[in-house]
Amino acid sequence: MTFSASPQELFRYLEERFDCAQACGECARVCVVRAGLWESDGHAGQERVRRESIACADVCDATALMLSEEDRLDEAAILVQLDWCRSLCLETAHLLDAQPAAESTAEACRACARACTAFATLLR
């Protein structure tokens, strides 16, 4: 986004950026907690969900960190990171749908994906 935007556009940009970073942080937190519930030597399906949850947490954490930087970042790099985060969150949510008592974690992943999509839309 060019910073020659109106004050309202700049406010919306900052608000969406903060909302996305916050959603990424929450998703990372719940994915780490969920991954910790499974043994690393669990059955193949459980191990896949565990690995995916850890990867999702890592990508969400990196995205939140990127969005919290004060420097003017490259929009193209932000869009790539947002797309990666969004797609991994949706994939993780889909895997979590089949797990017992994982509904809140799956919803946090979907909320993060929605936040990434909203922010990316604003940048385009």
Side-chain angles (χ1 to χ4, degrees):
M1 167 174 247
T2 306
F3 283 94
S4 62
S6 72
Q8 293 83 7
E9 290 170 324
L10 181 57
F11 179 76
R12 182 169 173 228
Y13 168 85
L14 294 172
E15 188 175 61
E16 291 289 339
R17 183 173 167 171
F18 175 77
D19 289 348
C20 186
Q22 190 173 20
C24 287
E26 177 62 14
C27 185
R29 185 188 68 74
V30 296
C31 281
V32 166
V33 168
R34 175 61 53 189
L37 297 176
W38 292 305
E39 300 289 327
S40 62
D41 60 348
H43 61 79
Q46 190 179 56
E47 180 59 22
R48 178 173 180 226
V49 175
R50 181 181 168 282
R51 282 192 324 267
E52 188 82 19
S53 295
I54 291 169
C56 187
D58 287 346
V59 171
C60 286
D61 194 41
T63 304
L65 182 62
M66 175 187 254
L67 295 175
S68 68
E69 293 177 357
E70 292 297 320
D71 297 356
R72 292 181 192 231
L73 300 170
D74 177 25
E75 279 183 32
I78 292 172
L79 286 170
V80 168
Q81 184 72 30
L82 290 171
D83 188 54
W84 185 26
C85 189
R86 181 197 57 77
S87 61
L88 189 54
C89 283
L90 291 175
E91 184 179 326
T92 302
H94 180 71
L95 287 173
L96 290 167
D97 285 339
Q99 302 301 311
E103 297 86 10
S104 64
T105 307
E107 180 48 38
C109 290
R110 285 188 180 86
C112 184
R114 286 190 300 269
C116 287
T117 299
F119 188 49
T121 300
L122 183 65
L123 290 175
R124 290 190 170 107

